[in-house]
Amino acid sequence: MTTVIAGQSVALLAQFYDFEGGTLTDLDATPSISIVSIATGATALAATTSGVTHPGMGSYGYAWTPSSSLTPGAYLATWSGLKDGSPVTAAETVTVTAPAAADATNTSPEGIWYATRDDVKTALDVKGTARNNTQIARALEDASRTVEDLCHRRFYPVQATRYFDWPSRPGGTPWVLRLNDTELISVTTLTSGGETISSDDYFLEPVNSGPPFNRVEIDLDSTAAFSSGDTSQRAISISGLWGYRNTETTVGTLAEALDASETAVDVNGAASTALGVGSILRVDSERMLVTERTQLDTGQNLGGNLTAQANSVTVAVSDGTLFTVGETILIDAERMRIDDIAGNQLIVKRGWDGTVLAAHTAGADIYAPRRLTVTRGALGTTATVHSDASTVVRWDPPGPVRQLVIAEAINTLTNEAAGYSRALRTGEGGSSERARDVNALAKRREDTYKVCGRKGRMRSV
C-alpha cells in the first residue's frame, strides 16, 4: 500500500511477469492507468497512457499528484494493458491523506468572536467612530480568547480533517478512539488504516448529551475495527465538523449573486439587522466572517419632509416590506433606528448612534448598512459562487458564552478608560472611595463555566 499527501507527487509502479514467480516481461504496448475512490467509486484519474514511463523490462511507472482538495481516503490505482493480445491488469491501493496544514487552513481562532461589535456598542451606548471600533475589536478578541481558556474549549464550528494514532491498548479498549483536546459535531468520512469505516459501524459518544462528541466507538456488533495500516501514527483520519455545537438561525437572504472572490456582500434588511461585525454566517456550504459593514443605497427615497425635531418620527417610503424593525437607516448625515413599521411608514428613533438631528427633504436617498465586508471561505470551507436571494444563516454561540464575552469586553474598555485604577465613590458629593465591585463579573464567569466549561475529568491530559 502506498501513501501520499494530497497536493504532493507519488511514484506508482507496476511490474508484469511472464508467469507467477517468473521473469519480468514487456507488454504489447504502454498500459493505461486509472485511479478511483474505493469508498465512492469517484474518478480521481481517468484512464490514460500519457505520462506513463517504461523504466525497465516489464516495469511501468507514473508520477501521480492528487489535487490538494481531493477527499482523503483509499484509492485504487489500476493498470490495464495487453500481453500477446490478452488483457492483463495490475492494481494497488493508494492512501491519500490531507495536507499537514489542512486542519488549520482558515481555522485560526484569531478574528473569531463570540459577540459582535454591535453588541458591545449597544451595551455601552457609544457612538460608532473608527477609534471606538478599533478599541472594541481589540477587547472582543481578548474576551473571546479569555472565555475559551476559561471553558477549556473552542466553540466555533470548523470543517476539517484531523488525524489520530491507532488506539492500540492490549487488554484495554482498542475499539474506542478518544479525541483528546478536540471535539466533534458531525462526521463526513472516517478512515482507519486506509479503509473507510461506514457510519453504520461506529457510534459518536456521549450519545445522550452530544454534540459535542469526545470519542468514537466501533459498534461491537459489526465487523469493523480500528486498524493501523503500515504504521500506527496518524492511522485514523476523521473528516467532519469540529467544535461545540452548530446552532444556526436563518436571518435573511443575499441581495446579489456572488462569485468566488467577492468580499463585499450585499444582504437584505432582515440579514443586516441580525448580523454585526464579528458574526459568522453561512451561505450554502460556505462560511464567512463579517469584518466590517458599510452603507448601501436601499433604492427607497424619503416620501415626505422631516423636520429637525425629535418628535418627527414617521419616515414615508414606497415599500415598507423592504425594511426591518431594529434596522438603522441613514438619511443625509443622520442615522435613525426603525422601532416599528406601519404599512409604508417607518416609525423611527431620530439622531441615533451619535448623529445630529437635522431636517430632510422629500426625495432624499435612504441608505442602510447592508453591505458586509467578509472573509470568504472561513473555518475550513471553500469560497464558491452563490445565487441572488440565497439564504443567509447565522451561527449562534452559546448564550452564556456570548454574554460573558460582552461583559469581559466592557470590563476591558471601562478599565482602559481609567487606566485600570477605577474606583467607585460613595455618598453624594463625598470623596470617600471603595474598590470597584467585580462580584457580578466573577459570578458571570462562574455561571458560564458551569454551563459551557469542559470539566477536568473530560479534558485531555
Side-chain angles (χ1 to χ4, degrees):
M1 184 176 67
T2 302
T3 301
V4 61
I5 297 174
Q8 298 186 11
S9 182
V10 62
L12 303 179
L13 181 68
Q15 293 184 311
F16 295 88
Y17 297 84
D18 51 6
F19 56 88
E20 186 176 353
T23 58
L24 290 167
T25 182
D26 282 344
L27 302 184
D28 298 348
T30 301
S32 66
I33 181 174
S34 62
I35 302 175
V36 299
S37 167
I38 293 176
T40 66
T43 299
L45 176 69
T48 182
T49 58
S50 177
V52 175
T53 61
H54 186 206
M57 176 67 72
S59 299
Y60 299 90
Y62 183 79
W64 182 45
T65 304
S67 167
S68 59
S69 61
L70 188 67
T71 302
Y75 289 79
L76 185 67
T78 302
W79 300 81
S80 301
L82 296 173
K83 175 60 179 176
D84 297 332
S86 298
V88 292
T89 61
E92 68 173 309
T93 300
V94 181
T95 299
V96 177
T97 62
D103 59 349
T105 301
N106 293 328
T107 64
S108 167
E110 184 176 353
I112 299 174
W113 306 335
Y114 300 120
T116 68
R117 191 175 70 192
D118 307 77
D119 291 333
V120 176
K121 287 167 62 178
T122 299
L124 289 174
D125 194 22
V126 298
K127 178 181 178 181
T129 66
R131 175 178 174 274
N132 283 337
N133 289 343
T134 300
Q135 188 181 28
I136 291 171
R138 187 175 66 247
L140 278 168
E141 179 70 27
D142 177 72
S144 297
R145 304 292 79 80
T146 297
V147 172
E148 287 175 345
D149 183 64
L150 171 71
C151 294
H152 304 286
R153 61 178 19 134
R154 292 178 179 176
F155 296 92
Y156 55 86
V158 174
Q159 193 72 41
T161 299
R162 291 179 174 166
Y163 299 89
F164 303 88
D165 291 350
W166 175 46
S168 175
R169 295 183 184 86
T173 54
W175 63 88
V176 179
L177 174 66
R178 303 183 191 280
L179 303 179
N180 300 327
D181 59 342
T182 57
E183 292 182 301
L184 186 59
I185 299 172
S186 61
V187 175
T188 303
T189 306
L190 168 63
T191 64
S192 181
E195 300 294 329
T196 299
I197 299 178
S198 168
S199 60
D200 295 330
D201 293 336
Y202 61 83
F203 302 119
L204 301 180
E205 300 290 349
V207 64
N208 293 322
S209 61
F213 301 108
N214 56 42
R215 65 187 187 276
V216 182
E217 297 187 8
I218 294 294
D219 182 357
L220 297 181
D221 195 36
S222 74
T223 58
F226 290 126
S227 57
S228 66
D230 291 340
T231 172
S232 62
Q233 290 181 306
R234 297 189 178 185
I236 300 171
S237 69
I238 301 177
S239 297
L241 191 64
W242 303 83
Y244 184 68
R245 285 197 179 103
N246 190 31
T247 303
E248 296 183 321
T249 301
T250 298
V251 296
T253 63
L254 294 180
E256 62 169 352
L258 286 181
D259 64 27
S261 61
E262 289 180 86
T263 56
V265 177
D266 296 348
V267 297
N268 69 356
S272 173
T273 304
L275 298 170
V277 175
S279 291
I280 299 173
L281 64 90
R282 179 177 61 80
V283 181
D284 299 325
S285 63
E286 180 187 356
R287 288 186 174 84
M288 310 177 197
L289 305 181
V290 180
T291 59
E292 193 51 81
R293 44 196 272 158
T294 54
Q295 300 292 336
L296 181 68
D297 193 335
T298 63
Q300 298 281 297
N301 299 91
L302 183 59
N305 295 336
L306 283 177
T307 64
Q309 295 177 310
N311 63 355
S312 180
V313 297
T314 302
V315 176
V317 296
S318 59
D319 188 354
T321 64
L322 298 180
F323 296 89
T324 304
V325 172
E327 186 175 18
T328 300
I329 59 175
L330 176 69
I331 302 177
D332 298 326
E334 182 186 351
R335 292 191 187 96
M336 308 173 194
R337 185 191 66 202
I338 302 174
D339 288 341
D340 205 350
I341 300 175
N344 294 329
Q345 305 290 326
L346 311 181
I347 313 305
V348 301
K349 171 71 174 177
R350 298 288 301 276
W352 185 248
D353 201 14
T355 57
V356 178
L357 195 69
H360 308 283
T361 304
D365 291 335
I366 300 177
Y367 292 84
R370 299 179 180 179
R371 176 159 289 170
L372 310 178
T373 302
V374 301
T375 299
R376 297 290 303 272
L379 299 174
T381 62
T382 301
T384 186
V385 298
H386 305 287
S387 303
D388 184 19
S390 293
T391 300
V392 176
V393 178
R394 181 191 66 206
W395 177 76
D396 296 324
V401 171
R402 175 176 175 270
Q403 291 302 109
L404 180 56
V405 166
I406 294 172
E408 293 282 6
I410 291 173
N411 185 56
T412 296
L413 293 167
T414 52
N415 271 309
E416 280 184 355
Y420 286 89
S421 61
R422 182 161 60 94
L424 299 178
R425 296 180 181 275
T426 58
E428 184 177 354
S431 60
S432 60
E433 294 185 346
R434 60 183 175 85
R436 180 170 53 89
D437 184 5
V438 295
N439 289 337
L441 183 56
K443 183 66 164 57
R444 169 61 64 183
R445 290 170 181 156
E446 180 182 348
D447 290 346
T448 300
Y449 178 74
K450 284 181 180 178
V451 176
C452 301
R454 198 174 189 188
K455 309 307 184 284
R457 65 184 178 83
M458 298 171 61
R459 295 182 216 153
S460 174
V461 294

